[in-house]
Amino acid sequence: MSYTFVTAARIRMPESSYREWLDTPVPTASIIENKADMFGGWCWDGRDCPDDWSTSETDWTPRRLLTARAAGADGETFTVVRHRDGALEAYFWTVGEHVVWEFAARRLLLTLAGAARFTGDDGGGHVLFWEDTAGVLPDADNLLALLAVDGGAARFAGPCPLDEVLAALAPVEEAFGELAEAFDEDEEQPAALLSW
C-alpha cells in the first residue's frame, strides 16, 4: 500500500538568510523541541511518533538534499522551493511506501525546521504536513502536523485556527499545481521548481 504526503511551508526571512539556509547543514533532530508530539491534536492524534529521529539526520545542506530530490523525481515527487515576498516557500508532494515515508517526511521537516535559525526577530512561520493524493491544502480535519518555526527553534503545535496559515500558502500551492499540470501534459518537463 502506498501513501501520498504533502509538506508545505511559508517562513518569513530575508532573501540573504534564505540563501544562507540553503547552504547550511540540516540540523540534528534536537532543533524540534517536542518530536513525539508530532500528531498531537490533529487527524492522527494518538498515533505513535517516536522521539528518536536520528535515522532522518544528515550532514547535507538543504540545497544538496533538494537538488538530489529533484534529480530523482520521476512523477512520484514534486518539489517547489523559492523565496517570494520576504519568505521561504516550499511545497513537497511525495509518494512513499508504508513505514518508508516516515524517513522522508521527517527529513523534510528537519530541513525546514533548520530555517528557524535564519528568521530573525520579525520572521518565522509554519510547516504543515498532511496526507493527500491531489496535493491540495488541508483543513483542520485532515492535517497531520503543524510545526511552528521561529526564534531559532521549532515545535509541534496542537489545534489552532488555520485560516491565515492556509491563506499564506495559497500562492505556493498554485505554483505546485502548475508544476504538476505541466508534468502531466509532458513528462519531459521537470518535476521541480527550485529558485535559488
Side-chain angles (χ1 to χ4, degrees):
M1 183 174 182
S2 65
Y3 299 79
T4 305
F5 293 94
V6 191
T7 306
R10 179 169 171 81
I11 302 169
R12 296 179 311 280
M13 64 174 64
E15 186 170 0
S16 58
S17 298
Y18 165 72
R19 298 193 179 282
E20 189 177 356
W21 165 76
L22 284 169
D23 294 314
T24 300
V26 173
T28 64
S30 63
I31 195 166
I32 299 177
E33 298 171 355
N34 58 342
K35 296 175 290 301
D37 296 333
M38 180 173 177
F39 303 124
W42 301 104
C43 184
W44 282 1
D45 195 6
R47 184 180 179 126
D48 183 45
C49 185
D51 196 48
D52 181 6
W53 287 33
S54 59
T55 57
S56 299
E57 295 177 346
T58 177
D59 58 358
W60 285 18
T61 64
R63 187 189 304 271
R64 182 179 175 195
L65 190 151
L66 299 172
T67 300
R69 175 185 163 94
D74 55 4
E76 293 198 349
T77 66
F78 287 89
T79 303
V80 178
V81 180
R82 65 186 184 181
H83 189 272
R84 189 192 70 86
D85 283 354
L88 155 65
E89 293 185 334
Y91 214 91
F92 304 114
W93 184 90
T94 308
V95 175
E97 298 301 318
H98 180 59
V99 180
V100 175
W101 69 265
E102 297 178 1
F103 167 83
R106 287 195 292 254
R107 178 163 282 183
L108 288 175
L109 288 169
L110 286 178
T111 300
L112 293 167
R117 298 179 291 187
F118 302 97
T119 57
D121 293 337
D122 300 320
H126 295 89
V127 182
L128 283 73
F129 176 66
W130 71 100
E131 183 179 7
D132 191 283
T133 303
V136 297
L137 284 169
D139 57 31
D141 291 334
N142 65 1
L143 186 66
L144 300 182
L146 177 68
L147 186 68
V149 177
D150 58 45
R155 67 214 149 276
F156 286 110
C160 62
L162 293 178
D163 291 353
E164 289 185 15
V165 174
L166 295 175
L169 285 168
V172 72
E173 178 197 32
E174 181 179 354
F176 159 77
E178 292 170 356
L179 181 70
E181 183 177 353
F183 183 85
D184 284 345
E185 293 175 357
D186 179 3
E187 292 188 5
E188 296 300 315
Q189 293 288 325
L193 170 63
L194 304 176
S195 299
W196 52 56

